[in-house]
Amino acid sequence: MMFQYYIKIVPTMFVPLKGPTLYTNQFSVTKHQKSVTAMSGESGMPGIFVNYELSPLMVKFTEKRNSLGHFATNVCAIIGGIFTVAGIIDSLLFTSIHVIKRKIELGKAS
């Protein structure tokens, strides 16, 4: 059997609101394996192979709080979106009902 492991290491910095900055790493692992017997037709050398990659970029997570003005703006945007969608649905229903009533009045409804 041939086992291959690919490991990626990404340096990470976490800056909390309170407390010290934390320096750590994120890891991701991908594993592949295959049979390398002569009967299966697969080529390769049996063994365990580990390939690792150190990322040259650092990921920085920073905790922060939004202001009251930011919260109020988001609430207003949500309420405005709800009223807009409700207005579109109301307009579509009103137009549809109006068209159906005209067809019934003209006797064209099937």
Side-chain angles (χ1 to χ4, degrees):
M1 292 293 289
M2 175 191 229
F3 297 94
Q4 293 179 315
Y5 295 93
Y6 298 94
I7 302 170
K8 186 166 187 172
I9 303 168
V10 180
T12 304
M13 179 172 50
F14 179 70
V15 182
L17 284 174
K18 296 178 182 176
T21 300
L22 176 65
Y23 293 92
T24 185
N25 294 301
Q26 295 182 52
F27 301 92
S28 65
V29 178
T30 304
K31 178 181 104 170
H32 297 286
Q33 68 184 28
K34 68 177 180 176
S35 177
V36 290
T37 61
M39 291 183 281
S40 68
E42 293 284 336
S43 64
M45 177 180 257
I48 299 173
F49 301 94
V50 178
N51 299 316
Y52 64 92
E53 177 185 345
L54 296 172
S55 177
L57 301 176
M58 175 182 273
V59 176
K60 181 179 179 182
F61 293 105
T62 305
E63 266 188 328
K64 67 176 188 172
R65 291 202 175 136
N66 292 330
S67 66
L68 183 61
H70 189 267
F71 174 73
T73 303
N74 283 343
V75 169
C76 290
I78 291 169
I79 292 171
I82 290 171
F83 275 115
T84 301
V85 171
I88 291 171
I89 291 171
D90 180 55
S91 175
L92 288 172
L93 288 175
F94 177 77
T95 304
S96 300
I97 291 171
H98 183 68
V99 167
I100 291 171
K101 280 184 180 179
R102 285 194 72 176
K103 283 188 176 186
I104 290 173
E105 288 173 0
L106 295 174
K108 294 186 179 180
S110 42

